[in-house]
Amino acid sequence: DADVTQTPRNRITKTGKRIMLECSQTKGHDRMYWYRQDPGLGLRLIYYSFDVKDINKGEISDGYSVSRQAQAKFSLSLESAIPNQTALYFCATSDSQAGGTDTQYFGPGTRLTVL
Amino acid sequence: AQSVTQLGSHVSVSEGALVLLRCNYSSSVPPYLFWYVQYPNQGLQLLLKYTSAATLVKGINGFEAEFKKSETSFHLTKPSAHMSDAAEYFCAVSLGSSASKIIFGSGTRLSIRP
């Protein structure tokens, strides 16, 4: 079984709808991240969480919110989706105790299309 | 603040040829450096990482990268390309677990010609 899972894997929605993307991990890592990937732009950080009570904005947090329900779960919400939020979304985890390099491990991604 | 630049959004090589993907970084302190690979319709997978233990780092699938402080570079190489190497490759820089995040480059798509 995959260590980092994301649901759904694909989603098509309409402008103005509320959408939640979910991420779960079995790696036991304390840190979790949400990124979006757009062609030619690489990955950009939306939000990150160092533990259940520590949530921080990334470089492109506007229009998004997150919830860290447990150490293993980190969800991303789009309160009112807009077309320019069409992208590939990745969840990642890392272990702050693993030697200090903060290596991140990624889920398979969620392809979101906002019409 | 740290940053990373990948030169060339698309690289095409023949099967069996040398693969060279370029990455330059900017960091005010000694960084940690990573190469990730993304195969079609998949998430990112760690290829290799530099953590200051050795300047030449060997990764999976025959890839390696050399940290050159004087050139602020961390180029990825493989002596002989295989068709299965076709993917997108991302260079990334981090200041370590005490910092907040990893910064990714914009990616280089590697195509392999038969």
Side-chain angles (χ1 to χ4, degrees), chain B residues 15-29:
Chain B
E15 190 174 19
L18 172 71
V19 174
L20 170 61
L21 304 183
R22 299 178 187 274
C23 173
N24 288 90
Y25 70 91
S26 172
S27 177
S28 56
V29 298

Side-chain angles (χ1 to χ4, degrees), chain A residues 9 31 33 35 37 40-43 45 48 50 59 88 90 95-96 99-109 111, chain B residues 32 34 36 38 41-46 49-51 88 90 94-107:
Chain A
R9 294 293 312 277
R31 297 182 170 187
Y33 309 79
Y35 293 90
Q37 183 182 21
L41 296 178
L43 276 75
L45 183 63
Y48 60 101
F50 279 2
E59 59 182 306
L88 190 54
F90 287 103
D95 181 1
S96 63
T101 61
D102 214 27
T103 301
Q104 296 190 10
Y105 298 87
F106 286 80
R111 186 169 296 280
Chain B
Y32 296 112
F34 307 81
Y36 283 85
Q38 184 182 27
N41 300 312
Q42 295 186 28
L44 277 71
Q45 177 183 355
L46 182 67
K49 62 183 178 183
Y50 166 74
T51 60
E88 187 143 21
F90 293 92
S94 165
L95 297 183
S97 61
S98 61
S100 60
K101 55 190 179 289
I102 288 178
I103 302 297
F104 286 87
S106 55

Side-chain angles (χ1 to χ4, degrees), chain A residues 42-102:
Chain A
L43 276 75
R44 292 182 292 167
L45 183 63
I46 304 172
Y47 270 95
Y48 60 101
S49 171
F50 279 2
D51 64 37
V52 175
K53 296 182 179 180
D54 181 12
I55 293 178
N56 305 278
K57 292 182 177 180
E59 59 182 306
I60 55 163
S61 58
D62 287 349
Y64 301 94
S65 62
V66 291
S67 174
R68 185 86 183 263
Q69 300 95 324
Q71 187 184 40
K73 296 184 181 296
F74 192 37
S75 60
L76 175 72
S77 294
L78 287 68
E79 297 301 326
S80 179
I82 56 177
N84 76 0
Q85 291 178 312
T86 293
L88 190 54
Y89 289 84
F90 287 103
C91 175
T93 72
S94 69
D95 181 1
S96 63
Q97 301 303 308
T101 61
D102 214 27

Side-chain angles (χ1 to χ4, degrees), chain B residues 14-99:
Chain B
S14 298
E15 190 174 19
L18 172 71
V19 174
L20 170 61
L21 304 183
R22 299 178 187 274
C23 173
N24 288 90
Y25 70 91
S26 172
S27 177
S28 56
V29 298
Y32 296 112
L33 295 160
F34 307 81
W35 277 99
Y36 283 85
V37 59
Q38 184 182 27
Y39 297 106
N41 300 312
Q42 295 186 28
L44 277 71
Q45 177 183 355
L46 182 67
L47 202 54
L48 51 80
K49 62 183 178 183
Y50 166 74
T51 60
S52 77
T55 57
L56 183 62
V57 182
K58 295 186 183 298
I60 61 173
N61 301 336
F63 284 93
E64 62 183 35
E66 186 172 7
F67 173 70
K68 292 187 176 181
K69 184 178 179 180
S70 60
E71 299 177 9
T72 61
S73 68
F74 191 57
H75 302 331
L76 182 70
T77 60
K78 181 173 180 177
S80 177
H82 191 274
M83 296 300 291
S84 62
D85 294 328
E88 187 143 21
Y89 292 79
F90 293 92
C91 183
V93 62
S94 165
L95 297 183
S97 61
S98 61

